[in-house]
Amino acid sequence: MGPHPAVAAIRLAVRRVLHDVITEFHRHAGPDRPAEAAGRPAHAVGSPYAEAGTAGGPRTALPERPDTPLVLVACSGGADSMALASALAFEARKLDVRAGGITVDHNLQPGSGLRAAEVVTRLTAMDLDPVEAVAVHVGREGGPEAAARDARYAALDAAAERHGAAAVLLGHTRDDQAETVLLGLARGSGIRSLSGMAAASGPAGRYRRPFLQLDRQTARKACLVQSIPVWDDPHNIDPAYTRSRLRHEGLPALEKALGKGVVEALARTAQLSRDDADALDTWAAEAELTVRDETGRLECAGLYALPPAVRRRVLRRALIEAGAPAGSLFARHLEEVDRLITGWRGQRAINLPGRVEAQRQGGRLVIRQS
């Protein structure tokens, strides 16, 4: 008798991603790749978990396999990430992969350190190695949700570099994707914001999201049938957070008004939007080369001739290159700069995030830090 359908589904999703990681790892490694460049030992030097024990007795360190990719799972202890961790542990035993885990302690709730230690114990019991908890300080820039996300990804990036990981698996599901699309729609930031989360993102595609085609209930069911304990973060039901309100009020209201299938339709919209946005970005990168003069400045006449969607991408790229933070550039900023091209009436310089200013001078668009 095979595994429960939910367990089979999460394992298959993880298996597909691991095959991709292995293929890419060996493609980039090459036959003459030095061993030390291919990875790190299973236990980081000085790791507090290097000699961690399990319920079955002392833990034996995994043999060093420097030519084998290390894949980490980012695990909060919730159902999605615990299901992901269990599937990674199962599949890694059958493949040429080392598997480890990272949990991030945001220090936002009482007892968060203890919960992080519990997650470490559970991941270690799954024979993941290395396993560690990383405490972070969450700032205030961009709001509580954005600040926590920035701190979390900074910690995961550092952990991946420290352990020489080829990939970090994230437990985002189809439901998370639908929420992300709706949040992007509410911001009105264009088609890229509707494309949601990519299956692979980050430096060299470091972050992988195997569950984007699976719903949240499948992950929870997989934990239930495997008797995997999970922790439900109270922030996920706190109406003070935008995503929580959307999850518990917004999406249910949409499904009540429009019928079932809203989540699936939003996830499908994300993929279609991503395909379109990628194509437009490629077009914009090529078009930018044709609208700069010999000194590298943007020519307004050339910009004016471009389709609006392409022109605004060229402008956005130029603003970011000049120092404007990508996360702080909104549609209204691009519209103001675009009017220097399409509605020129002698406007003054436009002040933008990152102390960047855009000004039209002599038929050229000058973008610089003030």
Side-chain angles (χ1 to χ4, degrees), residues 333-348:
H333 296 130
L334 292 178
E335 288 170 0
E336 290 179 14
V337 177
D338 196 43
R339 277 195 288 273
L340 294 176
I341 309 300
T342 62
W344 173 242
R345 296 182 180 84
Q347 298 99 311
R348 293 182 178 180

Side-chain angles (χ1 to χ4, degrees), residues 39 42-43 75 87 93 150 169 172 177 251 282 297 364:
H43 291 303
C75 187
R93 298 186 192 106
D150 290 344
L169 305 189
H172 297 121
Q177 185 74 298
L251 270 173
T282 300
R297 293 183 299 175
R364 303 291 190 270

Side-chain angles (χ1 to χ4, degrees), residues 57-298:
R59 180 177 177 82
T60 302
L62 293 177
E64 294 185 11
R65 293 180 290 164
D67 291 324
T68 303
L70 170 65
V71 177
L72 300 175
V73 57
C75 187
S76 67
D80 301 341
S81 59
M82 288 302 294
L84 182 58
S86 71
L88 173 61
F90 180 85
E91 294 297 331
R93 298 186 192 106
K94 304 187 297 179
L95 299 171
D96 192 24
V97 174
R98 291 179 292 136
I102 302 292
T103 185
V104 178
D105 174 13
H106 297 84
N107 284 304
L108 294 176
Q109 301 169 15
S112 64
L114 291 176
R115 281 191 291 274
E118 289 175 1
V119 173
V120 166
T121 299
R122 292 171 187 171
L123 296 182
T124 303
M126 291 179 181
D127 287 333
L128 296 182
D129 184 17
V131 173
E132 68 173 333
V134 180
V136 299
H137 170 72
V138 177
R140 297 182 178 181
E141 187 175 352
E145 292 167 284
R149 182 177 61 251
D150 290 344
R152 179 167 60 254
Y153 277 101
L156 293 176
D157 277 334
E161 295 291 339
R162 185 165 58 253
H163 293 291
V168 178
L169 305 189
L170 305 176
H172 297 121
T173 65
R174 187 170 63 191
D175 300 79
D176 296 308
Q177 185 74 298
E179 294 162 7
T180 302
V181 172
L182 284 177
L183 289 170
L185 181 63
R187 287 194 297 268
S189 301
I191 194 171
R192 178 57 74 183
S193 68
L194 299 182
S195 63
M197 297 174 285
S201 64
R206 167 180 291 160
Y207 294 108
R208 308 296 177 106
R209 298 177 174 86
F211 290 175
L212 286 183
Q213 302 302 318
L214 300 177
D215 62 38
R216 192 173 287 141
Q217 286 305 312
T218 297
R220 185 168 288 275
K221 185 66 174 179
C223 289
L224 179 64
V225 299
Q226 295 178 99
S227 299
I228 298 174
V230 300
W231 172 65
D232 290 316
D233 187 347
H235 283 172
N236 289 337
I237 58 173
D238 187 343
Y241 295 93
T242 304
R243 187 176 286 269
S244 175
R245 295 195 302 273
L246 181 59
R247 180 174 302 176
H248 298 288
E249 300 173 24
L251 270 173
L254 280 176
E255 291 202 330
K256 182 178 180 181
L258 302 176
K260 296 293 183 181
V262 170
V263 168
E264 293 87 340
L266 288 169
R268 190 163 57 251
T269 296
Q271 185 57 59
L272 294 172
S273 298
R274 181 166 297 278
D275 292 343
D276 290 349
D278 288 346
L280 287 168
D281 285 346
T282 300
W283 187 356
E286 295 171 351
E288 183 176 356
L289 301 176
T290 70
V291 296
R292 289 190 181 273
D293 63 17
E294 61 279 359
T295 65
R297 293 183 299 175
L298 291 168

Side-chain angles (χ1 to χ4, degrees), residues 41-57:
H43 291 303
V45 176
S47 167
Y49 307 109
E51 301 299 329
T54 66

